[in-house]
C-alpha cells in the first residue's frame, strides 16, 4: 500500500508539475497584464511552452525508467497550445520552431530508431543461433525509446516502407521456416486490390477535379498512401515466414497479424480446410478472414492472443491457418513434441 502511494505521488509530480506550469501560462494569457504587454509576454510564453516545460519534465524523468522520448508529447502539446492562445501577430518564434524545430525532432527520432535497430542487427549477426526478424526487432527497439501510445503507429509505418521499398533481397527459408503465400491466393488478391485502387483513383480524380481540385488531390494522396500500405503488407508476407525455434511456434501473417505459441501447449494439429465459425475460441491467422482459406487448425490447451494491425488483440484457443507445405510443418512439430 505504501509503495502504491509512493508510485502515485511520483506520477503526480512527474506529470502534474509540467501540466501545472502549462495551466499557469494559459491563465496568464487571460489576464490584463498580458493585454498590456502582449508582445513581450508572448515571447516568454513561447519559450516557456517549447523549452521550459519540456526541460522540467525531462529533469523529473531523467532518473526513472520512463523513456526520455516522452518529452516529445510535451513539445507537441506546447506547439498546439501556443498556436491556440497566442495572437497570430505574436507567433514569430513559434513559426520558426514549426519550420525548423519540428523537422529536426522528427529526424532525430528516426536517427535514434535507426541507430538502435543497427545495433540490434549487429547483435544478431554476432549470434549465429539467433533468428533475425526486422519487425520484431523494430518493435522491441521502439518500446525502449518511444512513448507506449506511439510505438505501434511508428512501427507499422516504418515496417510498411521497409518491406515495401527497401527489402528486395530474396528470403531463403531455413529448415525450421515455412511459407504461407505461394498457394493461398492472397498475393494475387492484394495485387488485384492495388490495381483496382489505382484505376479508381484516376477515375475519381478526374471527376472530382471538375468540382474541387483540392478535394481531388486529397483523395488521390489518400488512395496512393493506401496502395503503398497494401504493397508493404504484401511484401512483408514474403519476408516473414512462420518459424519454429527455442520451443516456440512463431506464426506470422506478414506484419498484419502474429502470435507466438509454446509448443508444449499444442494439443493437436489438424489438417482441415472445412469452414469454421470464427468466435472467441476459434480465429484465423489471416487478417482477410473468410476471404482466405486454411488447411490447418491448431488446437491448444489454453488461450493465446492474436495480435493484429495497430496492436489489436484477440484471444483464441484454436487457430486456423494456411501453410504451403502443411505435411512437413505438421510432422516437424509432432516430432518436436515427442522428443
Amino acid at each position: 500500500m505504501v509503495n502504491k502511494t509512493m508510485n502515485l505521488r511520483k506520477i503526480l509530480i512527474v506529470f502534474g508539475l509540467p501540466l501545472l506550469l502549462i495551466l499557469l501560462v494559459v491563465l496568464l494569457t487571460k489576464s490584463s497584464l498580458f493585454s498590456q504587454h502582449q508582445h513581450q509576454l508572448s515571447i516568454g510564453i513561447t519559450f516557456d511552452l517549447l523549452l521550459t516545460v519540456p526541460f522540467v519534465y525531462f529533469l523529473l524523468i531523467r532518473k526513472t525508467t520512463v523513456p526520455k522520448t516522452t518529452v516529445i508529447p510535451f513539445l507537441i502539446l506546447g506547439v498546439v497550445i501556443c498556436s491556440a492562445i497566442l495572437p497570430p501577430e505574436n507567433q514569430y518564434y513559434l513559426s520558426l520552431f514549426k519550420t525548423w524545430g519540428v523537422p529536426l525532432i522528427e529526424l532525430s527520432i528516426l536517427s535514434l530508431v535507426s541507430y538502435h535497430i543497427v545495433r540490434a542487427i549487429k547483435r544478431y549477426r554476432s549470434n549465429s543461433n539467433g533468428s533475425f526478424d526486422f519487425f520484431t526487432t523494430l518493435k522491441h527497439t521502439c518500446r525502449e525509446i518511444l512513448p507506449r501510445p506511439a510505438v505501434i503507429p511508428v512501427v507499422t509505418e516504418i515496417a510498411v516502407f521497409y518491406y515495401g521499398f527497401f527489402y528486395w533481397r530474396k528470403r531463403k527459408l531455413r529448415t525450421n521456416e515455412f511459407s504461407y503465400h505461394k498457394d493461398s491466393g492472397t498475393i494475387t488478391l492484394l495485387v488485384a486490390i492495388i490495381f483496382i485502387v489505382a484505376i479508381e483513383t484516376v477515375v475519381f480524380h478526374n471527376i472530382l477535379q471538375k468540382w474541387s481540385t483540392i478535394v481531388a488531390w486529397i483523395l488521390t494522396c489518400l488512395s496512393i498512401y493506401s496502395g503503398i500500405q497494401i504493397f508493404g503488407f504484401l511484401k512483408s508476407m514474403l519476408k516473414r515466414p512462420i518459424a519454429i525455434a527455442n520451443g516456440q511456434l512463431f506464426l506470422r501473417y506478414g506484419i498484419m497479424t502474429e502470435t507466438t505459441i509454446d509448443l508444449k501447449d499444442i494439443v493437436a494439429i489438424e489438417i482441415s480446410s472445412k469452414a469454421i465459425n470464427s468466435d472467441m475460441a476459434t480465429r484465423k491467422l489471416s487478417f482477410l478472414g473468410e476471404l482466405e482459406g486454411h488447411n490447418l487448425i491448431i488446437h491448444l490447451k489454453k488461450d493465446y492472443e492474436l495480435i493484429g494491425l495497430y496492436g489489436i488483440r484477440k484471444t483464441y484457443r484454436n487457430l486456423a491457418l494456411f501453410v504451403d507445405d502443411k505435411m512437413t510443418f505438421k510432422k516437424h512439430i509432432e516430432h518436436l513434441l515427442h522428443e
Side-chain angles (χ1 to χ4, degrees):
M1 184 67 179
V2 174
N3 289 334
K4 288 183 178 179
T5 303
M6 290 297 292
N7 289 335
L8 180 60
R9 189 177 300 169
K10 287 180 180 178
I11 292 172
L12 287 175
I13 293 173
V14 167
F15 293 99
L17 185 56
L19 292 174
L20 178 61
L21 292 174
I22 292 173
L23 178 61
L24 291 175
V25 168
V26 173
L27 291 175
L28 177 61
T29 61
K30 306 298 180 182
S31 66
S32 57
L33 181 63
F34 181 77
S35 300
Q36 296 170 8
H37 306 280
Q38 194 176 95
H39 178 69
Q40 294 87 342
L41 288 178
S42 291
I43 296 174
I45 288 171
T46 301
F47 281 89
D48 281 342
L49 289 176
L50 299 184
L51 297 177
T52 305
V53 172
F55 183 66
V56 168
Y57 174 74
F58 173 77
L59 292 178
L60 292 171
I61 67 167
R62 65 191 176 94
K63 293 184 178 180
T64 69
T65 57
V66 178
K68 305 302 181 285
T69 50
T70 53
V71 172
I72 295 168
F74 278 96
L75 278 170
I76 295 172
L77 183 62
V79 171
V80 172
I81 293 174
C82 270
S83 301
I85 65 176
L86 295 181
E89 63 271 17
N90 293 318
Q91 293 188 11
Y92 173 75
Y93 292 102
L94 175 62
S95 298
L96 282 180
F97 184 81
K98 287 179 180 179
T99 303
W100 301 103
V102 173
L104 182 62
I105 291 170
E106 292 175 346
L107 183 61
S108 299
I109 294 172
L110 185 60
S111 300
L112 186 61
V113 171
S114 300
Y115 170 73
H116 281 273
I117 290 174
V118 170
R119 285 183 59 191
I121 293 174
K122 287 181 178 179
R123 285 199 302 269
Y124 155 72
R125 287 176 177 170
S126 65
N127 179 14
S128 58
N129 295 323
S131 180
F132 176 72
D133 177 63
F134 175 82
F135 189 64
T136 302
T137 303
L138 181 62
K139 283 193 293 184
H140 290 329
T141 300
C142 289
R143 285 193 186 110
E144 293 175 359
I145 62 177
L146 294 179
R148 184 174 296 180
V151 171
I152 297 301
V154 170
V155 166
T156 303
E157 295 306 312
I158 293 176
V160 163
F161 282 90
Y162 172 78
Y163 286 111
F165 301 99
F166 294 98
Y167 190 173
W168 291 98
R169 181 170 53 86
K170 187 176 180 180
R171 177 74 154 81
K172 293 183 178 180
L173 293 178
R174 299 182 177 184
T175 55
N176 66 323
E177 295 178 335
F178 299 87
S179 63
Y180 47 87
H181 64 276
K182 295 178 181 178
D183 301 322
S184 66
T186 303
I187 299 296
T188 304
L189 176 61
L190 292 178
V191 169
I193 291 173
I194 292 174
F195 274 109
I196 291 170
V197 169
I199 293 169
E200 288 188 346
T201 298
V202 174
V203 173
F204 279 105
H205 180 86
N206 291 331
I207 294 173
L208 289 173
Q209 198 167 27
K210 298 176 181 178
W211 172 61
S212 172
T213 303
I214 294 175
V215 173
W217 278 109
I218 290 174
L219 178 64
T220 299
C221 291
L222 290 174
S223 297
I224 292 172
Y225 178 70
S226 299
I228 289 172
Q229 283 200 315
I230 295 172
F231 183 66
F233 295 159
L234 182 156
K235 284 282 300 299
S236 70
M237 293 175 63
L238 282 62
K239 309 303 182 182
R240 299 194 76 216
I242 291 169
I244 304 169
N246 302 319
Q248 292 183 309
L249 173 59
F250 299 91
L251 295 172
R252 301 154 179 163
Y253 197 87
I255 61 173
M256 291 79 82
T257 56
E258 62 181 3
T259 186
T260 302
I261 299 171
D262 290 330
L263 293 181
K264 60 183 176 60
D265 290 327
I266 296 177
V267 175
I269 298 180
E270 177 187 0
I271 295 179
S272 172
S273 56
K274 64 183 180 182
I276 60 170
N277 294 320
S278 296
D279 51 28
M280 296 291 288
T282 305
R283 305 280 187 187
K284 298 195 74 169
L285 179 63
S286 171
F287 80 115
L288 294 172
E290 298 305 319
L291 290 176
E292 181 179 349
H294 60 275
N295 56 13
L296 290 171
I297 301 176
I298 300 176
H299 302 278
L300 304 170
K301 296 177 183 177
K302 63 178 185 179
D303 290 345
Y304 273 84
E305 280 191 335
L306 182 66
I307 305 173
L309 280 172
Y310 298 103
I312 298 173
R313 296 172 181 266
K314 297 178 181 178
T315 59
Y316 66 91
R317 181 70 65 95
N318 309 301
L319 190 66
L321 67 153
F322 188 95
V323 178
D324 291 324
D325 192 353
K326 61 184 178 183
M327 293 303 299
T328 304
F329 175 79
K330 185 176 186 292
K331 289 177 181 178
H332 191 106
I333 291 180
E334 288 177 345
H335 174 72
L336 292 172
L337 290 176
H338 289 92
E339 280 187 343

